[in-house]
Structures are given as C-alpha cells and as structure tokens.
Amino acid sequence: MAKPVLLTVDDDAEVLRAVERDLRHRYAERYRVLRSDSGAAALEALKGLKKRGDSVALLLVDQRMPQMNGVEFLGQAMQIFPNAKRVLLTAYADTDAAIHAINDARIHHYLLKPWDPPEEHLYPVLDDLLGDWQGSFQPTFEGVRVLGTRWSPHSYTFRDFLARNQAPYQWVDVETADKVAEVRRLVDAVGAVASSLPMVVFPDGSSLANPSIGQLAEKLGLRSRPEVAFYDFVIVGAGPAGLAAAVYGASEGLKTLMIEMEAPGGQAGMSSRIENYLGFPSGLSGGDLARRAVTQARRFGVEILAPQQVTGVRVEGASRMVKLAEGADIGCKALLIATGVSYRKLNVAGAERLQGCGIYYGSAMTEANSCEGEDVYIVGGANSAGQAAMYFSKYARSVVMLVRGDSLSTYMSQYLIDQIKKTPNIHVETHSQVVEAHGDTHLEAISILCSSSGETTTVPTNMLSIFIGAEPNTDWLSGVVERDERGFILTGPDLVRDGKQPAGWPLARNPYWPETSVPGIFAAGDVRHGSVKRVASGVGEGSIAVQFTHQYLSEV
Ligand SMILES: Cc1cc2nc3c(=O)[nH]c(=O)nc-3n(C[C@H](O)[C@H](O)[C@H](O)COP(=O)(O)OP(=O)(O)OC[C@H]3O[C@@H](n4cnc5c(N)ncnc54)[C@H](O)[C@@H]3O)c2cc1C
C-alpha cells in the first residue's frame, strides 16, 4: 500500500521549503511528503490523490495566502479528505482568526510561525495528530474483514468488539453481493454461506466461521491469561477510572494487572465525542481517549487482560483474590474495583427480541454508516443521548430524540443543547416514550406514547438507540463489600455511621476515602456510591485511589 500523504501548502517558497524539510526529516519513512504553492494547486493535487485511492493524513497550511486563505482551503479540502488532520500555520497577529477556525472550520490545531526548534514546537503536535489519525485509519484491504448481514445481532457484536478494541476492520454486508461485484468476489473466494456467517477473514488469508468472541480475541492476539499468579495491584475494569489508576500505579512502581471484560475505554470508549475533558479544546472521541490511555498504561508496564471477566473476590489473609470467568484465581496485595455502570434495558414488548438488529444500547457508532438517509430514533435526554444524536445527524435523514420529561435541559449540558438546536435534522419530542418495538427479523417500527395527549402513534424506523440511565453490575461482590440499595459500592466516610466502623472492619483506623468495607479493596469511578458520573471525575478518583493504595501497603 502507498504511504499516506502529508501535504503542506504555502505561497512563500522559502517557508514552504522549510516546512517540507522538517516534515521529511521526521516522517519520510512512514509518509509521503508533498507540497503546493497555492490553495488551488493543492486542491487539484488532492483530487488526483483521491482518484488513485491514496490516503491523506495531514494538511499543514499557511493562513495568509492570496486568492484562497488557509481556512478557505481547508474548508474545501475537508470535502475531499474529511479524515485528514487539519493544521493552520499562522503569524502571531492571526491567532484570533485561528482560534475561531477551530470552531468554524473544524481545524484540529494551529501552529505559530516560526516553529523552531521543530522538536519542541512542531513534532509533538504533529505526532499526536498523526497518532490519532492512525487510530481511526482503516486500510481497506489489509485489516480484518467481517462478512455478515446487517440485521444479525452476532455480526453487530463482532463489529462492536473490533471497533472498541481498536482493531481496524472492514464490514462486508453479504446481502449486497448481487449489486457489488467486489463483495461477490470475496464471498465466493472465502466460501461464505449462511451457516458460516458471521465470518471473519484475517489479513493472512485465514478465516473463522461463526466464531465466539473468545476465539476472535485469541486470533487477534488479545491477552486473556495473566503472566504471573500474584500482583501488587489488580484493577477490575478499564474505563477512565481503571486506566488512570493503572497509569499512576505502574508509574509509581506497583506491578499492576488490569482486567477488562469487554474493551478498554469503558462507557467513555462508546462516546462519539467528549467535549468537556480538560486539555482537548476541540473534543476527542472516546475511542481516541481509550487508545491513548492504553498506550500510556502499557508504556509503564501495565499488563492488560481483555476480554476477561472477574466473577468473584475473596480475602485470604493479606491477599485479595479475584476469580476469573475462565476459572483461574489471581492474587494481589491491593485491589481496585472500577467496574462503572452498564445500560439499563428498555423494558417494552419487542425490545429484547430485536436487540442487535435495529435496537442498540450505547452510541452504536458502528451502525451510523448504515443509517444513511434513514430516520433514526434515540431514547433519552442526557448527555450520552445528545452526543449520539449529533453523531447520527451526520448520516441519517432525521434524528428524533424521544424525551420523557418536558425539556432536554434537566440532564443535558448546555453546550450540547445549543448544538442540537442548531442542527436542522434533529427533532426533540418531549413527553414521549417508546411503548412497543415491531418487526420480525429486524426493527421495522416503534410505537410512541405521548403522555400529554395520551395518544400512541406508530412510526416506521430501522434504528432505535437507547440511553435510559445505567446501573452498577456488582452482584458478584455481594457479601464481600458493602453496597447501597442500588448496588453502588460504599467507601470511606459513607461506611462510618454514628461513629461506628462497618461490620467486620478489623483495623483501628477508619476506611480511607476510596476504601471499601474490606481493607485493601478500593472502589473508584461510576461504581462508587456518590460519585460524579463523568470522565474527568473517574480519572481523578482512579488516580487518588493509588495514593491510598500506597498508604495501605505501607501498613501491611
Ligand atoms: C455514550 C456516553 C457518552 C458519555 N459522554 C461523556 C462526556 O462527554 N463527558 C463526560 O465527562 N462523561 C461522559 N460520559 C460518562 C463517562 O463515560 C463515565 O462517567 C465514565 O466512563 C466512568 O468511568 P469508569 O471508569 O468509572 O467506568 P466505565 O467507563 O463504566 O468502565 C468500567 C469498565 O469496567 C468493565 N467491567 C465491568 N464489570 C467487569 C467485570 N466484572 N470484570 C471485568 N471488567 C468489568 C466494563 O466493561 C467497563 O469497560 C459518557 C457516557 C456514555 C455512555
């Protein structure tokens, strides 16, 4: 495959040569560096690249150019290569224009001239952006291919699993084989028949017919067995809280194991765009955040088992033992439970039967492409529903948000409410709830009850995305640590009632702030009673838990 392109554009020949030289110096091994001396010439070059099926990773463009300035050029270039990272090169005097461009022209970054030394002012920014681009770049024919049918829940599970584990894949809907010659050729070549679907074809030409997630994970080289039997620190759950704890724990010398039953990133990994996380002014997707955090954790030597579920915990003297779904036990000195929450299910007729074939929980980003030109319905009125509505609005003909209350404002951040108001194909229907889902092999329609008029209407749709709150799945901790009536784990001050320590607490001191009713077992993030359900607070709690882990370890 041809190397992806980095294109730089500047009308000043000297500056253009200097940028090209610096780009080549660092990136020539992995990318092709091209240059243009005007916006018009650069657009022509991009059209040529598109025709040849090339990929463009970065556009680095001067703002002040005659005829077409940098922002205007990037606006047009985006139509040709929407995924290329867009960076504006500006003089100090143009800083304000550049900041506006982040919002208006969706520029990813602006750099000030001069950028010397590039090691300090140019490469760190570009490394980061290119890392991001690589994370979502899907080489068409070199990754894993999943063959299946759109309405198969099993196919959806695979696509979701691969996407959340950052494994680039190509989805091939075999039902299009009659219309798309390339699909027909592939189906015939791998011998895909109804009973072998979904089928996963690997870059080395091997394939698995209708495999389990475990078989798929093993083939992809994901690790599900620990290297050793005992660790300093074990973390259950690789959402923001678990990942932060892993980074801090391992970087401070604890031999750390993190166990995740689905894919690193947790709920945050399902978010199409997190806009309120500090340090990312133009937002980032949950997938990006997860990928960065996993890289950081691995760099500090964290061992990650995924997918692997923890099904039990017990105390043996000074050891905390966790039981894996596969049956093995792992011991540790200190344990952190960061298992977050999972979606509450919609309890109406038809919903369970049609889950995965038209009804999805979470943002179901993998399904957005199939909604091109369709009418999508979203249940829920909080931030996660709002983000999904914004995401689907780029693909669907219309997005209808069904909200039980009388407005969005109760649970949604103002920035999202503003974005939704400005998006013409999103409609909000208040006082509305789904009462039935219809369809045989896949979702075909839903019935909606309007609580103010008492009327029920049935509307056709193939896509219902549900965000109706979440609950902690902590029954496996029953009888081990104290939980509240909804299953959230009690920690620190919440365990001490009328000055009395929790039953069975063996120490003179009270439980530390993130410590559960068992010394050395901590809880952080959404699963903790009273926690703020946000990415940043999960990250904060995970980091703080490590501090208390050290204190605990110094006592035993
Ligand atoms: C679609 C969506 C959009 C969101 N957008 C934003 C936003 O823009 N800004 C914001 O601040 N917050 C947002 N949130 C909320 C935020 O993502 C959560 O508050 C945050 O992810 C909580 O982190 P956590 O680590 O506590 O738990 P989680 O993210 O829930 O992670 C817990 C992990 O533990 C794993 N796990 C559970 N049980 C087990 C077990 N027994 N064994 C092994 N692993 C287990 C789960 O698979 C999961 O990966 C959003 C949430 C969703 C769903």
Side-chain angles (χ1 to χ4, degrees):
M1 192 181 67
K3 290 182 197 169
V5 167
L6 312 183
L7 175 66
T8 178
V9 191
D10 203 316
D11 63 318
D12 179 328
E14 208 180 311
V15 177
L16 186 60
R17 271 197 302 275
V19 180
E20 186 192 17
R21 179 201 59 213
D22 287 345
L23 289 179
R24 280 190 200 284
H25 177 72
R26 175 107 168 172
Y27 302 111
E29 263 184 31
R30 287 174 293 140
Y31 297 92
R32 247 183 318 154
V33 178
L34 302 182
R35 63 176 187 183
S36 273
D37 58 8
S38 73
L43 285 175
E44 277 312 302
L46 288 181
K47 284 177 196 156
L49 291 168
K50 188 78 188 174
K51 273 191 208 142
R52 286 197 296 275
D54 283 316
S55 319
V56 175
L58 175 79
L59 299 163
L60 177 53
V61 185
D62 186 36
Q63 167 62 1
R64 282 204 188 181
M65 294 189 293
Q67 277 102 39
M68 189 188 292
N69 69 30
V71 171
E72 286 163 352
F73 163 77
L74 288 171
Q76 293 190 44
M78 239 167 88
Q79 311 298 325
I80 309 172
F81 284 103
N83 298 326
K85 295 293 171 188
R86 300 176 286 278
V87 179
L88 205 59
L89 207 50
T90 58
Y92 182 72
D94 292 329
T95 309
D96 272 349
I99 290 172
H100 284 303
I102 289 184
N103 289 326
D104 302 340
R106 293 165 51 204
I107 305 291
H108 294 106
H109 218 288
Y110 70 90
L111 287 166
L112 289 180
K113 289 192 230 178
W115 58 88
D116 275 334
E119 284 71 18
E120 252 177 56
H121 299 303
L122 183 69
Y123 299 146
V125 170
L126 298 190
D127 283 354
D128 204 31
L129 288 172
L130 290 171
D132 248 354
W133 182 85
Q134 286 286 0
S136 57
F137 173 54
Q138 299 192 353
T140 327
F141 295 112
E142 295 191 357
V144 169
R145 281 169 293 181
V146 181
L147 281 68
T149 55
R150 178 179 173 192
W151 299 122
S152 144
H154 205 169
S155 297
Y156 169 68
T157 307
F158 281 8
R159 298 201 309 271
D160 192 48
F161 175 79
L162 289 166
R164 293 184 59 200
N165 278 286
Q166 323 284 330
Y169 74 94
Q170 184 192 19
W171 162 239
V172 182
D173 184 349
V174 296
E175 284 173 346
T176 62
D178 290 341
K179 290 183 229 135
V180 186
E182 214 171 295
V183 174
R184 163 62 54 210
R185 275 197 290 273
L186 180 64
V187 166
D188 291 346
V190 299
V193 289
S195 61
S196 60
L197 297 176
M199 188 177 217
V200 186
V201 182
F202 298 90
D204 63 3
S206 62
S207 59
L208 288 173
N210 202 1
S212 65
I213 285 288
Q215 287 169 312
L216 181 58
E218 200 177 318
K219 177 81 186 167
L220 289 171
L222 299 175
R223 179 189 282 270
S224 62
R225 289 185 190 85
E227 266 172 20
V228 295
F230 198 87
Y231 292 80
D232 294 332
F233 190 35
V234 167
I235 299 161
V236 187
L243 283 161
V247 167
Y248 279 96
S251 67
E252 290 164 16
L254 298 176
K255 183 158 181 57
T256 303
L257 173 76
M258 184 160 58
I259 309 169
E260 165 57 50
M261 69 178 185
E262 289 178 2
Q267 297 166 71
M270 294 193 270
S271 167
S272 48
R273 194 125 212 103
I274 299 168
E275 301 212 37
N276 55 1
Y277 189 55
L278 187 70
F280 295 88
S282 36
L284 85 169
S285 73
D288 277 347
L289 182 66
R291 183 181 53 73
R292 285 160 191 257
V294 167
T295 308
Q296 203 173 3
R298 289 218 163 99
R299 193 163 69 82
F300 286 119
V302 176
E303 198 184 319
I304 303 176
L305 296 193
Q308 182 61 262
Q309 187 177 1
V310 173
T311 54
V313 170
R314 64 178 198 279
V315 175
E316 276 182 15
S319 302
R320 306 310 175 233
M321 306 298 294
V322 295
K323 187 164 191 54
L324 302 182
E326 275 188 352
D329 283 348
I330 300 172
C332 60
K333 294 179 187 164
L335 175 67
L336 175 68
I337 297 161
T339 48
V341 293
S342 48
Y343 282 108
R344 202 170 286 146
K345 295 288 163 78
L346 184 69
N347 191 11
V348 302
E352 196 179 336
R353 188 171 48 83
L354 296 168
Q355 184 178 337
C357 32
I359 295 188
Y360 304 95
Y361 292 88
S363 52
M365 286 186 279
T366 49
E367 297 311 292
N369 272 326
S370 347
C371 297
E372 196 103 41
E374 297 188 0
D375 300 318
V376 167
Y377 283 77
I378 290 180
V379 182
N383 279 358
S384 46
Q387 286 175 4
M390 288 302 300
Y391 190 71
F392 280 116
S393 70
K394 292 184 214 146
Y395 302 85
R397 180 174 60 181
S398 76
V399 177
V400 182
M401 297 187 73
L402 302 172
V403 182
R404 249 202 333 209
D406 55 11
S407 75
L408 285 179
S409 56
T410 326
Y411 299 107
M412 195 179 285
S413 302
Q414 193 57 42
Y415 79 89
L416 264 176
I417 296 177
D418 294 343
Q419 285 179 7
I420 287 168
K421 276 191 192 145
K422 280 194 217 146
T423 309
N425 64 336
I426 303 183
H427 314 287
V428 180
E429 288 188 12
T430 53
H431 302 290
S432 299
Q433 62 188 94
V434 175
V435 288
E436 191 170 352
H438 312 270
D440 290 330
T441 54
H442 65 271
L443 182 71
E444 289 167 28
I446 52 171
S447 296
I448 304 165
L449 169 70
C450 170
S451 59
S452 25
S453 68
E455 269 177 34
T456 300
T457 46
T458 299
V459 292
T461 183
N462 292 148
M463 174 79 190
L464 180 67
S465 196
I466 300 167
F467 301 84
I468 50 171
E471 50 204 15
N473 288 325
T474 52
D475 286 351
W476 55 282
L477 288 164
S478 165
V480 183
V481 298
E482 281 194 26
R483 300 173 297 153
D484 70 12
E485 62 290 349
R486 293 168 62 205
F488 290 95
I489 299 174
L490 295 166
T491 56
D494 291 324
L495 288 162
V496 181
R497 296 170 198 105
D498 303 325
K500 283 201 195 117
Q501 295 181 333
W505 179 257
L507 306 176
R509 67 162 174 84
N510 286 344
Y512 291 131
W513 178 79
E515 200 168 24
T516 67
S517 53
V518 177
I521 301 184
F522 299 86
D526 282 13
V527 74
R528 201 182 61 77
H529 169 88
S531 61
V532 177
K533 310 288 184 274
R534 287 283 185 269
V535 174
S537 41
V539 168
E541 289 199 10
S543 320
I544 293 168
V546 173
Q547 174 61 29
F548 286 102
T549 299
H550 283 300
Q551 286 193 33
Y552 165 78
L553 291 175
S554 69
E555 297 162 358
V556 290

